[in-house]
Amino acid sequence: MTGRREANRARMRARLLTAALKLFEEAGYEATTIDHIAAEADVARQTVLNHYPHKRDFLVEWGQDRRDQLLTVDDSDEPARTRLHRYFTALAAINERERTLTRMLHVSLRHDEVVAHQHPVPDATIDAIRQGQDRGELRAELPPRTVAEVVTAIYGDTLRRWLTDDAPPFDLAAALAERLDLLLDGLTA
């Protein structure tokens, strides 16, 4: 019984998230209300609030879904450089696929919301750096979390620049790869 209940809950959360993201992309984050999301998902307002008590919770879920997608490209047997490049390539693909939505959310949100909900330091990045240090690929004297924060900052800054124009001003994947190589060249053991 619990299995069915959890599956139903997961389906409803996915339905609500899909409705919210569609509306955020079309009308913007600020203009979208819980009532709009309920209407789009064809559920009662309270159903939305039972699953997502705050509109901001949709952003948390969206960001977590993106980080979860990174785990599907993870291969801990690869060298750290290869692994980090794989992450950036996957992130570029996600952003290219969801550019309008990503741009809308970046434009609509306060800086602290973007940082807190979209660009936390992924554990996979910390793990890749730590493993690279353990294998002697990267300088070991630097704290892995600090290095991962710099990698994440490079991603966030490059993404913000890519989102500023109506049309992509540069190749996101190439720019991310170039910046990551610049950093990693300085960190190579």
Side-chain angles (χ1 to χ4, degrees):
M1 186 69 97
T2 302
R4 185 182 311 163
R5 182 177 297 153
E6 288 305 313
N8 286 339
R9 181 170 175 74
R11 276 193 295 276
M12 179 54 73
R13 285 181 63 82
R15 179 174 159 190
L16 294 170
L17 181 63
T18 298
L21 294 178
K22 177 180 183 273
L23 293 171
F24 294 161
E25 185 171 355
E26 291 172 355
Y29 178 76
E30 286 300 321
T32 301
T33 67
I34 295 295
D35 289 330
H36 293 139
I37 295 166
E40 180 68 28
D42 195 27
V43 298
R45 182 179 203 278
Q46 190 58 49
T47 301
V48 177
L49 294 172
N50 288 343
H51 292 274
Y52 295 95
H54 307 282
K55 188 167 69 167
R56 181 175 302 178
D57 295 334
F58 287 104
L59 302 178
V60 173
E61 185 82 13
W62 179 64
Q64 186 60 52
D65 283 351
R66 289 173 146 223
R67 286 185 295 284
D68 289 347
Q69 289 179 48
L70 281 185
L71 297 178
T72 66
V73 299
D74 191 23
D75 183 355
S76 59
D77 292 332
E78 292 178 318
R81 181 181 290 261
T82 303
R83 212 167 147 192
L84 292 169
H85 270 286
R86 184 181 301 278
Y87 295 160
F88 271 22
T89 299
L91 288 167
I94 292 167
N95 284 298
E96 287 167 357
R97 188 173 58 247
E98 297 181 349
R99 186 173 193 279
T100 303
L101 175 62
T102 303
R103 186 168 187 263
M104 180 64 71
L105 292 176
H106 271 263
V107 168
S108 300
L109 300 177
R110 298 184 323 257
H111 174 72
D112 61 325
E113 288 177 318
V114 172
V115 171
H117 299 297
Q118 288 183 265
H119 302 300
V121 178
D123 290 337
T125 304
I126 298 169
D127 292 342
I129 289 166
R130 183 176 293 119
Q131 190 169 38
Q133 290 174 324
D134 292 346
R135 291 177 175 175
E137 300 165 11
L138 302 174
R139 291 174 35 202
E141 71 274 12
L142 302 171
R145 181 168 194 80
T146 302
V147 175
E149 287 171 358
V150 173
V151 169
T152 302
I154 288 170
Y155 165 71
D157 181 68
T158 305
L159 179 63
R160 275 187 290 285
R161 291 172 192 273
W162 183 73
L163 292 170
T164 56
D165 295 333
D166 287 335
F170 54 84
D171 181 319
L172 179 60
L176 287 170
E178 176 184 59
R179 285 157 177 81
L180 182 60
D181 279 337
L182 180 67
L183 173 67
L184 293 175
D185 287 348
L187 293 174
T188 302

